[in-house]
Amino acid sequence: MDRICITGGQQLNGTIAISGAKNAALPLMIASLLTDETLTLDNVPRLADVALLKRILGNHGVDCLVKGKRAGQNGVAGETIELSANEIVDTTAPYDLVSRMRASFWVIGPLLARMGATRVSLPGGCAIGTRPVDFFIDALKDLGAEIDIDAGYVVARAPRGLTGGRITFPHISVGATHVAMMAATLARGETVIENAAREPEIVDLATCLTRMGAEITGAGTPTIRIQGVDRLHGARHAVMPDRIETGTYAFATAMTGGDVFLEGAQVDTIEAPLTVLRGIGADVETTNSGVRVRRNGAGLAPVDVETAPFPGFPTDLQAQLMALVSRADGTSHLRETIFENRFMHVQELARLGADIHLDGQVATVRGVDRLKGAEVMATDLRASVSLVIAGLAAEGETVVNRVYHLDRGFEQLEAKLGGCGAEIERLTG
Ligand code: UD1
C-alpha cells in the first residue's frame, strides 16, 4: 500500500492549478444516464472516485470515452470524457460497487426517471457517520415512485413514469438535492424542491442539465423549480473548479508560510473559508483568475468556527482547518454540525503533537508551538489531507499511511505541493 512521506519545515511558494471538482464531476457523470445522447464533460479530475464511477456507469451500459490527456501526460488540465448511455443494459447497482462509493447511490434518480424501475444497493456504513438515505426515498415517493427495501436494496418503481410534486427536505442534503433534481427533469409536470442544498455543485449540475434541455430555475437558492420535459439530449459542459481543493491548499500555505497562487480557483464558491483564513492572519487576495494566499512570519490567530451547509464553512474543510489552528497562538473551537463522528483525524493529529480535546461535536484545539513528525493513518479523504497539512509544518518526517483515501479526491497532490517547494514523496508498495 502506498504511503506519503513528508519532511516538514519548507515554506510553500509558487502556483497550484486547481483541478475540476470531484463533488461536481460525480453527479455530472451520473446525469449522463438521463439521455441516450452523448454528454461530454471537460475538466474532469483524474481521481480514484471518478475511475470507480466510470466502472459503475459502465455496468449500466454507459460508454465512457476518455478524450483528454491521461494521467502522467503534461499539465494538470483535466480529462475530457464522453459518456453515452445509448442503451441502459442493467438497472441494478450492486452492493460491491455502491458500498465502495456512497455517491454511486445517486444513480437511483436518473435510472428511475428514464427506465421506470431500478434496484440500488443501500450504501452501507461509512467512516464519517451513519449517512442514511431516507431523504432520497421520501423525495422519490413525492414524485410518485413506489419504493421497497428488499435484501439490502432500494427497489424503486414508477411504471407510468414519475410525476412532478412538492419535495420539502427536513434537513439540507447535497446528494438528495442532486437526485431529486435529476429525477424531476423527466417527470410529468412541475416539481418544487424546498430546503434544497445551495452548494455550488448543485448549480453546476443544474447548468449542465439545462444544457441538456432541462427546465430548471432557482438552483443555488433554497427553492428549486423544475418543469419536466419528455427527453433530454446531449451537451458539453466543463466541471467547475474544486473549492475544497482550493481551501485545502490555501490552508496549507497559511500553515507553512509562503506565497501561493491558486490558479483557476472560483472565489465566490469559497468565501467562508477565505474569511476564516483572513481572521487567522493570512493575506488573501482574490482575482478573476484565482486566489493568492500569503503568510510571512506572522503568527496564526485562533478561531471559533462551525461547519454549515453552503454558504457556510464546509464540513469538507473542517479537518484541514483543525490542522492549521493546531499551531495557532491560542485556543480554537471547531463545531461539526453536518456529520456525527467526523473527528477521526483528531487522534492522528495528536500523534503529531496537537493538543485537541473532543466534547461531543465540539473540538477544542489549544495551539502548540511545534508539531513533530510521526507515522499516521487516516480513515477518510479529508482527514488524510489534514495530516498532510500538519506534516508540512511538523519537524522531521511524517509518513501518512492509507494514501488511497487521498487518491480518491486530490489530483496530483505530491506534484502540486512538491512544485511549491514541499519535501513530499510517495513511497509505493
Ligand atoms: C456531499 C459531499 C460530501 C460533503 C457533504 C456535505 C459529494 C460526493 N459528497 O455528501 O463531500 O461532506 O455533501 O457537504 O458531493 N442525511 C440524512 N438522510 C439522507 C441524506 C442525508 O439524514 O437521506 C444526512 C447525512 O447523514 C448528513 C447530512 O444529511 O448528516 C448531510 O449529508 P449530505 O449533504 O446528504 O451529504 P452527501 O451528499 O452524502
Side-chain angles (χ1 to χ4, degrees):
M1 250 190 282
D2 288 6
R3 293 171 299 157
I4 286 205
C5 181
I6 301 161
T7 306
Q10 308 300 320
Q11 285 203 340
L12 294 176
N13 286 290
T15 296
I16 294 178
I18 297 304
S19 294
K22 171 180 88 74
N23 285 356
L26 300 180
L28 287 166
M29 289 170 72
I30 289 171
S32 69
L33 290 166
L34 287 163
T35 173
D36 60 1
E37 295 184 13
T38 300
L39 174 63
T40 303
L41 296 177
D42 296 306
N43 200 33
V44 180
R46 289 177 209 82
L47 298 170
D49 274 8
V50 167
L52 180 59
L53 185 57
K54 281 183 201 158
R55 274 187 54 202
I56 292 168
L57 293 176
N59 199 51
H60 296 300
V62 182
D63 284 328
C64 300
L65 196 63
V66 176
K67 306 279 278 199
K69 294 169 188 158
R70 289 176 182 276
Q73 287 182 269
N74 45 20
V76 289
E79 288 177 342
T80 293
I81 305 184
E82 288 181 358
L83 301 122
S84 304
N86 181 27
E87 193 190 348
I88 303 289
V89 297
D90 193 343
T91 55
T92 296
Y95 175 76
D96 59 326
L97 293 176
V98 179
S99 59
R100 291 170 59 184
M101 182 175 51
R102 184 182 155 85
S104 58
F105 181 80
W106 302 352
V107 298
I108 195 169
L111 285 176
L112 179 62
R114 179 164 159 200
M115 306 301 289
T118 181
R119 267 175 92 238
V120 181
S121 170
L122 287 163
C126 176
I128 56 170
T130 50
R131 299 180 111 184
V133 293
D134 48 337
F135 303 162
F136 295 78
I137 290 175
D138 291 346
L140 293 173
K141 281 185 179 166
D142 289 338
L143 300 182
E146 297 159 20
I147 301 205
D148 294 302
I149 309 288
D150 179 39
Y153 280 75
V154 179
V155 182
R157 291 185 211 85
R160 285 173 301 283
L162 294 171
T163 43
R166 179 171 287 268
I167 297 168
T168 304
F169 287 119
H171 293 286
I172 291 174
S173 162
V174 174
T177 303
H178 279 312
V179 164
M181 197 162 68
M182 285 194 271
T185 58
L186 292 180
R188 271 189 312 279
E190 187 184 62
T191 296
V192 180
I193 306 175
E194 303 275 15
N195 203 23
R198 296 159 63 187
E199 269 63 7
E201 293 78 13
I202 301 284
V203 178
D204 208 32
L205 177 64
T207 304
C208 178
L209 291 170
T210 303
R211 291 194 171 127
M212 294 165 73
E215 292 181 18
I216 303 174
T217 54
T221 76
T223 305
I224 303 177
R225 284 174 196 277
I226 301 137
Q227 286 294 339
V229 294
D230 288 341
R231 62 185 301 274
L232 296 179
H233 50 71
R236 182 162 198 154
H237 180 82
V239 178
M240 63 173 281
D242 197 316
R243 62 196 171 96
I244 303 304
E245 189 196 30
T246 304
T248 299
Y249 292 130
F251 288 4
T253 307
M255 182 69 157
T256 60
D259 183 348
V260 172
F261 183 61
L262 303 166
E263 190 179 8
Q266 198 178 318
V267 174
D268 59 348
T269 65
I270 46 164
E271 277 167 4
L274 294 183
T275 302
V276 168
L277 199 52
R278 287 191 179 102
I280 288 176
D283 221 340
V284 180
E285 216 178 284
T286 58
T287 70
N288 285 341
S289 55
V291 176
R292 183 174 177 193
V293 180
R294 273 176 297 177
R295 185 171 76 84
N296 290 317
L300 300 166
V303 289
D304 284 354
V305 170
E306 185 171 297
T307 62
F310 191 84
F313 188 92
T315 175
D316 285 351
L317 284 172
Q318 178 254 108
Q320 296 90 315
L321 176 63
M322 194 180 297
L324 176 58
V325 296
S326 72
R327 291 278 316 278
D329 304 325
T331 301
S332 301
H333 300 95
L334 308 186
R335 178 185 290 272
E336 173 58 53
T337 73
I338 308 291
F339 292 111
E340 65 204 70
N341 203 14
R342 201 178 209 182
F343 282 129
M344 312 290 271
H345 42 284
V346 167
Q347 63 198 33
E348 299 301 301
L349 288 171
R351 290 176 59 77
L352 298 172
D355 180 353
I356 305 167
H357 174 75
L358 268 187
D359 185 7
Q361 294 299 93
V362 181
T364 301
V365 188
R366 288 188 193 84
V368 293
D369 286 344
R370 59 187 199 122
L371 299 174
K372 199 157 183 306
E375 192 147 350
V376 287
M377 79 165 65
T379 43
D380 79 52
L381 167 60
R382 312 303 177 186
S384 325
V385 85
S386 77
L387 299 173
V388 171
I389 292 179
L392 290 172
E395 285 171 10
E397 199 176 270
T398 297
V399 176
V400 182
N401 289 289
R402 300 201 179 163
V403 166
Y404 56 83
H405 287 299
L406 285 172
D407 293 337
R408 286 187 44 218
F410 289 91
E411 187 177 24
Q412 297 192 30
L413 176 101
E414 311 95 272
K416 289 187 183 189
L417 288 172
C420 288
E423 273 189 51
I424 178 167
E425 63 171 332
R426 180 179 292 246
L427 309 174
T428 45

